[in-house]
Structure formats: C-alpha cells, structure tokens
Amino acid sequence: MSTPAVACRTACGACCTAPSISSPIPPQRDEQGRVVSAGLPQGKPAGQPCVHLDEALRCRIFTQVDRPAVCAGLQPSQEMCGDTTAQAMLFLQRLEQATAP
Ligand code: SF4
Ligand code: SF4
C-alpha cells in the first residue's frame, strides 16, 4: 500500500532550509518580468533558509515557471514532513548527510 499524500504544513519551511540546492535559484520577478528580489545563482548550502521564503515561510516564487526543478518535484510526505517542523528538519538533515558527495 502506498503512503497517503499529506498536505504541506503551514509555516514550516523545513524543505526550503535543510537541503542544499545545487542548481541556480532564480530571482523573484513581478508580473511584468522585472526583478523584485535577487535569487541565488550558485544555489544554496544546506541549513540556509532560501531567500524566497516569506514571513509566513511560503515560497515567493511558487508560481514562477523557472522555480528550481528540485523544488517543483518535491511533494509533502509523512516520511519527510513528520508531525512537526523539527522532525522534518531532522529527517532532511540526515538525508542531506547521507547523500553528500
Ligand atoms: S517539510 Fe513538508 S510540511 Fe514542511 S514545508 Fe516542506 S513539504 Fe511542507
Ligand atoms: S525556491 Fe521556493 S520552493 Fe524552492 S527552496 Fe526557495 S522558497 Fe523553497
């Protein structure tokens, strides 16, 4: 039996903080395509909150087509998200360490 889908927890942000992202993170753009805030051309290291997390820990560039593929492909799961942000951080930190080059 497959793991049931779970909803992303409000005000978590663990999966935008704990993992490293090796691909470029694009800038935030407004509806006219103008840059609103800078991205991270070199990606981000593990443990650093993404620059695009807003005050409520939501992604500011969620609807941009150039959002990193690794972000777009990530789905909430009970295994990753756990029951608390601390549990998610721990799972993702362990995963990061296990997959470090
Ligand atoms: S770890 Fe899970 S609950 Fe937390 S922000 Fe990511 S998808 Fe949402
Ligand atoms: S681009 Fe958005 S989804 Fe990807 S790590 Fe940054 S805040 Fe999270």
Side-chain angles (χ1 to χ4, degrees):
M1 198 169 83
S2 63
T3 305
V6 300
C8 177
R9 183 170 46 245
T10 304
C12 175
C15 59
C16 302
T17 302
S20 60
I21 295 180
S22 56
S23 59
I25 299 175
Q28 180 187 7
R29 297 181 185 278
D30 66 14
E31 289 173 2
Q32 284 72 46
R34 294 174 298 218
V35 171
V36 175
S37 63
L40 293 168
Q42 309 300 321
K44 77 170 198 69
Q48 177 180 308
C50 180
V51 291
H52 294 314
L53 279 176
D54 70 11
E55 297 75 16
L57 301 178
R58 291 175 302 211
C59 176
R60 288 193 178 95
I61 65 165
F62 191 80
T63 59
Q64 283 188 202
V65 293
D66 58 352
R67 191 164 66 114
V70 65
C71 304
L74 195 68
Q75 296 293 321
S77 69
Q78 183 60 42
E79 182 183 26
M80 176 176 76
C81 306
D83 296 321
T84 64
T85 300
Q87 287 178 4
M89 287 293 290
L90 189 60
F91 176 86
L92 288 159
Q93 286 162 354
R94 287 178 174 156
L95 186 64
E96 182 73 23
Q97 288 162 6
T99 56

